[in-house]
Amino acid sequence: MPTTLVIFYQEEDGSVPVLEWLDNLPEKTQDKCRVKIERLADLGHELRRPEADFLKDKIYELRVSQQGIQYRILYFFHGNTAAVLSHGIVKEREVPPKEIDRAIERKKKFEKNPEAHTYTQQEQ
């Protein structure tokens, strides 16, 4: 199976919500989240529970647990690309509906103009 390209959703103002959120997590949690994102790149649609799960409206979640805290990274597939849209810390067993709705809105924006909403790392 070919590797899945994983990209990060970028807002109109150039901000990248998931990367900003990741940067503010404890280092060990960042590492675990990056490993899950790498697994998504390696396995794509093949990734299943407990690492990933389908939510609704083509939105999936990467599931990361660290010291009893549930971290979720929401994404969808656009062809052979997984677009990472949103994030959150879940205290309950489910992702709050408002987080799923935010991911759905970002998905719609991305689908209308993928190039404008794809983060590309700037060389420094």
Side-chain angles (χ1 to χ4, degrees):
M1 173 162 209
T3 301
T4 301
L5 175 64
V6 176
I7 58 100
F8 292 91
Y9 173 86
Q10 177 174 284
E11 293 286 5
E12 290 86 356
D13 66 4
S15 64
V16 184
V18 174
L19 293 180
E20 291 170 6
W21 173 74
L22 273 171
D23 285 346
N24 290 305
L25 294 176
E27 194 171 332
K28 280 190 173 192
T29 304
Q30 286 182 31
D31 292 344
K32 283 187 90 170
C33 288
R34 285 190 180 99
V35 166
K36 290 292 184 196
I37 292 168
E38 288 170 12
R39 296 266 303 149
L40 176 60
D42 290 342
L43 297 173
H45 286 282
E46 304 281 315
L47 197 60
R48 299 278 188 262
R49 282 183 76 104
E51 295 178 278
D53 201 9
F54 174 76
L55 296 175
K56 74 175 200 177
D57 295 346
K58 299 184 181 179
I59 302 294
Y60 294 81
E61 65 175 341
L62 283 176
R63 303 160 59 93
V64 179
S65 181
Q66 177 73 14
Q67 295 183 327
I69 300 172
Q70 306 302 315
Y71 299 88
R72 299 294 188 253
I73 300 170
L74 306 187
Y75 64 97
F76 82 105
F77 290 101
H78 184 76
N80 197 37
T81 299
V84 177
L85 301 167
S86 186
H87 54 82
I89 297 173
V90 180
K91 294 185 173 104
E92 307 82 27
R93 294 181 149 257
E94 312 181 333
V95 175
K98 70 177 184 169
E99 291 302 323
I100 298 171
D101 292 343
R102 178 181 295 143
I104 291 169
E105 284 305 309
R106 288 178 178 166
K107 175 182 170 287
K108 289 177 186 174
K109 289 181 185 179
F110 182 90
E111 289 174 326
K112 283 183 183 173
N113 191 347
E115 196 172 295
H117 292 287
T118 298
Y119 169 72
T120 52
Q121 190 170 4
Q122 304 298 319
E123 294 201 23
Q124 298 177 4

